[in-house]
């Protein structure tokens, strides 16, 4: 049975002295290990064909394929946690209708547009420009305001919000010849 060591045995069983040779041998072994793991069995024959079909074991009560049941029963432990009720804090109750907050609008401060009297005015020009600039004024109102301004020194043309009153004042000053006017706050 025992033979003398051949050259092949000496190569195979001699201690490997070089590191690259050892790495190569390890690579070859791992390669063969991997290829054998993924290689199909010869001729498509499986070693244990009964593992593919459910219901062919001893516990099958006859009646065809069923779901595979494990041979060993595993006890499963489940924990049920009670849900905690979260109270929602709401200002309004569900049966109460939602009442919207009353919107508080402040009235825009009103300003009086005052025509200043001057002896140098041409009455026709002033009445014409006042009717053109001030939207809600007709010729009769404009002539009354002009007469009152000449008698008392100033007369009120109307009450308007600040931006509109400033617009009318600027348009009257830009007319040629200029018509002087002033703004006064309504409550003063």
């Amino acid at each position: 049975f025992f033979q003398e060591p051949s050259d092949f045995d000496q190569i195979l069983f001699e201690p490997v002295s070089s590191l690259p040779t050892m790495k190569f041998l390890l690579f070859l072994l791992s390669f063969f290990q991997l290829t054998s793991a993924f290689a199909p069995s010869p001729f498509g024959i499986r070693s244990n064909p009964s593992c593919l079909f459910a219901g062919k074991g001893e516990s099958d009560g006859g009646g065809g394929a069923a779901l595979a049941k494990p041979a060993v029963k595993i006890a499963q432990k489940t924990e049920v946690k009670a849900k905690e009720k979260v109270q929602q804090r709401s200002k309004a109750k569900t049966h109460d209708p939602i009442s919207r907050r009353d919107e508080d609008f402040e009235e825009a401060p009103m300003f009086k547009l005052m025509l200043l009297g001057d002896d140098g005015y041409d009455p026709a020009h002033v009445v014409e420009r006042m009717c053109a600039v001030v939207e809600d004024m007709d010729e009769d109102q404009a002539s009354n305001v002009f007469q009152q301004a000449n008698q008392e020194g100033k007369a009120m043309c109307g009450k308007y919000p600040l931006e509109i009153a400033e617009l009318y004042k600027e348009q009257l000053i830009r007319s040629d010849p200029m018509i002087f006017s002033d703004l006064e706050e309504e409550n003063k």
Side-chain angles (χ1 to χ4, degrees):
F1 237 87
F2 292 105
Q3 300 176 351
E4 291 186 26
S6 65
D7 291 336
F8 181 73
D9 290 335
Q10 286 178 353
I11 292 173
L12 218 95
F13 296 111
E14 275 187 15
V16 181
S17 60
S18 67
L19 187 62
T21 321
M22 184 182 281
K23 284 184 178 180
F24 180 72
L25 287 175
L26 285 174
F27 172 74
L28 279 178
L29 285 174
S30 62
F31 179 74
F32 288 125
Q33 180 93 18
L34 281 175
T35 55
S36 66
F38 290 108
S41 59
F43 306 111
I45 300 172
R46 298 199 182 265
S47 59
N48 188 4
S50 66
C51 69
L52 294 178
F53 302 105
K56 295 285 185 180
E58 299 167 0
S59 64
D60 186 18
L67 293 175
K69 297 178 184 176
V72 178
K73 292 191 176 189
I74 300 172
Q76 293 181 350
K77 190 177 196 180
T78 58
E79 293 181 20
V80 178
K81 293 184 180 179
K83 291 184 180 179
E84 296 178 12
K85 291 185 179 180
V86 178
Q87 290 182 349
Q88 293 181 353
R89 294 180 184 177
S90 61
K91 294 179 182 178
K93 294 179 182 177
T94 56
H95 63 277
D96 291 341
I98 297 173
S99 61
R100 296 189 179 196
R101 196 176 76 189
D102 292 335
E103 296 179 4
D104 296 330
F105 288 109
E106 290 184 20
E107 293 291 325
M110 301 297 278
F111 288 84
K112 296 178 189 176
L113 177 65
M114 305 296 287
L115 176 68
L116 300 178
D118 190 3
D119 293 336
Y121 287 149
D122 177 27
H125 171 69
V126 172
V127 170
E128 178 187 333
R129 289 302 300 154
M130 285 180 64
C131 288
V133 170
V134 182
E135 294 176 1
D136 58 347
M137 187 172 284
D138 59 11
E139 287 184 14
D140 290 334
Q141 289 174 333
S143 63
N144 287 339
V145 168
F146 176 71
Q147 287 174 359
Q148 187 179 0
N150 280 340
Q151 291 171 359
E152 299 175 11
K154 61 180 177 179
M156 184 179 76
C157 299
K159 294 178 185 176
Y160 307 100
L162 178 63
E163 291 83 9
I164 295 173
E166 286 177 343
L167 174 71
Y168 291 160
K169 179 182 174 184
E170 283 294 316
Q171 288 178 346
L172 288 173
I173 286 184
R174 290 183 181 182
S175 58
D176 187 31
M178 283 194 247
I179 300 173
F180 295 103
S181 60
D182 194 18
L183 297 180
E184 293 179 1
E185 199 169 344
E186 180 184 23
N187 296 332
K188 285 188 176 181

